[in-house]
Amino acid sequence: MLEVKETGLPGVLEIVPRRFGDDRGFFSEVWNSATMREAGLDLSFVQDNHSRSAKGVLRGLHYQLEPEAQIKLVRVSRGSVYDVAVDIRRSSPTFGQWTAVTLSADSWNQLLVPAGFAHGFLALEDGSEVQYKVSALYSPAHDRGIRPDDPAIGVEWPLPREQWLLSAKDQDAPLLAEADIFA
Ligand SMILES: Cc1cn([C@H]2C[C@H](O)[C@@H](COP(=O)(O)OP(=O)(O)O[C@H]3O[C@H](C)C(=O)[C@H](O)[C@H]3O)O2)c(=O)[nH]c1=O
């Protein structure tokens, strides 16, 4: 019922739930706590988010600090996005490293981003819709960001910088070296 694949970063997983197609369309359990537990992933979520982005919109790199750090299960229900996770735990052997998976409605894949990682995505098609569950409620006081073009991280975004559309918050975000992150 579930395919789980490693990515370039330990802890960040690509997950592909089954999709049952028939002449009406399809049905898919996009989140099932028991199926995930059987796959060794004991997760619980408290909030479901949904955003739509034009091609070139880059949202990120975002995270919430402890004690409101969020595990995220990210999927795309329309279009496609280049989805990125960055390890921002100073004590981690993979601190500062990043991995990316293209998530799309066609591939029906999801990305599990653990707490302690910054998350962001670049919309590759107009009207791309991202839906993601988070394990802690939104807390503006704990909400933080890091510049998505930080050369110390070196994310290889698939569209050139001049095509990006960033929020003012993301344009002014600190570099990794200046940011409040995880021990
Ligand atoms: C995240 C969030 C935002 N908001 C409000 C706050 C603003 O008035 C408005 C837009 O917020 P923001 O510009 O932070 O939205 P994104 O840039 O899509 O932020 C998200 O982008 C990346 C990809 C993430 O992983 C995070 O979940 C989240 O930070 O929604 C809420 O009311 N609840 C929320 O949980």
Side-chain angles (χ1 to χ4, degrees), residues 47 49 59 62 72 119-121 132 138 143 169-170:
Q47 182 178 311
N49 299 328
R59 298 174 186 260
H62 301 161
K72 297 172 183 169
H119 173 246
F121 62 80
Y132 51 107
Y138 176 54
D143 192 30
K169 178 184 78 170
D170 289 347

Side-chain angles (χ1 to χ4, degrees), residues 7-176:
T7 66
L9 272 182
V12 181
L13 298 172
E14 182 183 8
I15 295 168
V16 189
R18 280 189 62 180
R19 194 159 53 171
F20 299 93
D22 61 29
D23 53 7
R24 299 168 297 167
F26 72 80
F27 176 89
S28 180
E29 291 182 358
V30 290
W31 159 248
N32 179 313
S33 58
T35 308
M36 291 288 266
R37 201 169 304 116
E38 286 161 19
L41 301 166
D42 192 359
L43 301 165
S44 63
F45 297 108
V46 296
Q47 182 178 311
D48 219 344
N49 299 328
H50 186 154
S51 65
R52 176 187 297 156
S53 300
K55 180 175 180 179
V57 166
L58 198 161
R59 298 174 186 260
L61 299 162
H62 301 161
Y63 57 100
Q64 291 192 171
L65 289 174
E66 294 296 8
E68 304 305 333
Q70 296 173 318
I71 301 167
K72 297 172 183 169
L73 182 60
V74 190
R75 71 187 189 95
V76 170
S77 55
R78 185 167 184 264
S80 58
V81 304
Y82 187 74
D83 206 59
V84 173
V86 185
D87 187 349
I88 55 172
R89 301 165 300 176
R90 290 190 198 287
S91 58
S92 166
T94 55
F95 172 65
Q97 294 183 29
W98 63 279
T99 191
V101 173
T102 296
L103 301 178
S104 69
D106 288 346
S107 60
W108 210 239
N109 56 345
Q110 305 178 356
L111 195 68
L112 181 65
V113 181
F117 286 69
H119 173 246
F121 62 80
L122 176 62
L124 302 175
E125 299 174 51
D126 265 337
S128 290
E129 301 207 9
V130 177
Q131 304 187 26
Y132 51 107
K133 298 182 181 321
V134 294
S135 62
L137 296 175
Y138 176 54
S139 170
H142 297 86
D143 192 30
R144 294 292 187 280
I146 292 170
R147 279 267 301 277
D149 58 350
D150 186 339
I153 301 172
V155 176
E156 294 165 12
W157 300 101
L159 296 177
R161 177 83 179 71
E162 55 272 14
Q163 289 183 24
W164 299 355
L165 176 56
L166 294 172
S167 65
K169 178 184 78 170
D170 289 347
Q171 286 178 34
D172 301 336
L175 298 172
L176 176 61

